[in-house]
Amino acid sequence: MPTTCILNHYLIQYSFYQPKWRWTKKGGKEELWIERLAHYIVDDFGENAIMVLCVLKGGYKFCADLVDFIKVFGRNSSKYLETRVEFIRLKSYLNDQSTEDLHIIGSRDLSFLHGKSVLIVEAIVDTGKTMKALLKHVETFEPKMVKVAGLLVKRVPNMAESLTDYVGFEIPNHFVVGYALDYNEYFRDLNHICVISKTGKMKYKV
Ligand SMILES: O=P(O)(O)OC[C@H]1O[C@H](OP(=O)(O)OP(=O)(O)O)[C@H](O)[C@@H]1O
Ligand code: HPA
């Protein structure tokens, strides 16, 4: 890795992730990384309908892509993979810092999760505070099972690896933007994920 980020090069240092990235399986066959995650998820959920809980705003692109691939597996196998997608909006970051204040924006009522096999889809697990709080909240609605798919897990001291069942990429401890991840609402629209530079942080600081 990393390849130079072309867009906004004066703000962003590197790009970590491209949606079309492939990895090579044993035996030489290439697979998209997201296809691999979808594969594991489909295997684990088996016959259970998947109740996807997408964590907004950061998780919307990853969730859309992941669900597409889960559906592809359904189409390519004889079984019908039932998926339903619901959303929860959480907010705790200001600039590049987690605040102690985690807000659930909108309804806290997730009773539709009761008895369901839930897949939480999150863009990034950084300090892990958001995911810990969300898991605690979700458990109160007594789902049948809960798994977490995280596109990125950050390598931070006391990193929260065990919170995430399906990990796209483990990344170094830098603040990243793009592919729906933001810095004060900027850069969500980038197609790839980059590290924001000091200059970028200063320019868009609130
Ligand atoms: O592991 P943590 O340190 O708790 O950080 C992870 C959370 O932070 C971001 O959300 P944010 O609060 O920025 O809201 P957003 O998704 O609307 O940007 C991200 O999308 C995760 O939900
Ligand atoms: O690195 C990050 N980028 C964007 N949002 C985030 N929320 C936690 N960590 C990050």
Side-chain angles (χ1 to χ4, degrees):
M1 271 197 304
T3 54
T4 307
C5 181
I6 302 159
L7 196 64
N8 292 316
H9 67 276
Y10 56 97
L11 294 176
I12 312 285
Q13 290 165 335
Y14 298 111
S15 112
F16 282 108
Y17 157 79
Q18 302 284 347
K20 292 279 156 59
W21 261 9
R22 291 174 181 276
W23 75 299
T24 308
K25 290 203 276 193
K26 274 186 196 156
K29 192 172 174 283
E30 281 198 337
E31 201 177 36
L32 291 176
W33 65 271
I34 200 166
E35 222 176 332
R36 181 179 55 146
L37 287 189
H39 205 148
Y40 289 148
I41 290 165
V42 169
D43 279 354
D44 287 354
F45 278 73
E47 299 298 313
N48 295 299
I50 307 176
M51 169 65 80
V52 175
L53 184 65
C54 171
V55 183
L56 298 174
K57 294 180 185 176
Y60 88 88
K61 272 183 189 268
F62 175 47
C63 184
D65 285 348
L66 189 61
V67 170
D68 275 356
F69 275 96
I70 290 172
K71 297 310 258 184
V72 168
F73 275 108
R75 277 202 298 277
N76 293 344
S77 66
S78 48
K79 58 181 179 183
Y80 171 64
L81 283 177
E82 194 186 330
T83 52
R84 177 174 149 187
V85 185
E86 294 285 348
F87 301 89
I88 184 164
R89 189 165 165 214
L90 303 174
K91 182 81 197 155
S92 64
Y93 269 73
L94 190 65
N95 300 319
D96 60 352
Q97 295 300 313
S98 168
T99 63
E100 291 308 312
D101 250 6
L102 176 71
H103 295 287
I104 297 184
I105 299 167
S107 174
R108 298 179 60 86
D109 179 16
L110 304 180
S111 47
F112 53 82
L113 299 182
H114 184 77
K116 298 288 195 302
S117 300
V118 179
L119 177 69
I120 298 177
V121 180
E122 170 62 290
I124 187 162
V125 177
D126 187 329
T127 64
K129 282 185 202 161
T130 303
M131 191 49 67
K132 269 191 203 134
L134 178 58
L135 281 168
K136 204 169 153 202
H137 187 59
V138 164
E139 291 293 353
T140 62
F141 297 96
E142 300 179 341
K144 182 176 171 188
M145 72 177 212
V146 183
K147 299 274 187 189
V148 177
L151 170 62
L152 307 174
V153 173
K154 216 180 258 191
R155 255 179 259 129
V156 291
N158 307 319
M159 90 186 253
E161 203 172 4
S162 60
L163 294 171
T164 319
D165 301 284
Y166 313 101
V167 179
F169 301 99
E170 195 184 295
I171 62 165
N173 192 4
H174 298 299
F175 202 80
V176 289
V177 292
Y179 195 61
L181 286 166
D182 73 312
Y183 177 80
N184 294 331
E185 299 300 327
Y186 290 92
F187 304 115
R188 285 196 204 276
D189 56 335
L190 295 179
N191 284 328
H192 46 216
I193 293 174
C194 306
V195 175
I196 184 164
S197 68
K198 277 191 187 153
T199 326
K201 285 185 189 173
M202 287 308 293
K203 184 167 164 72
Y204 296 103
K205 197 177 169 81
V206 294

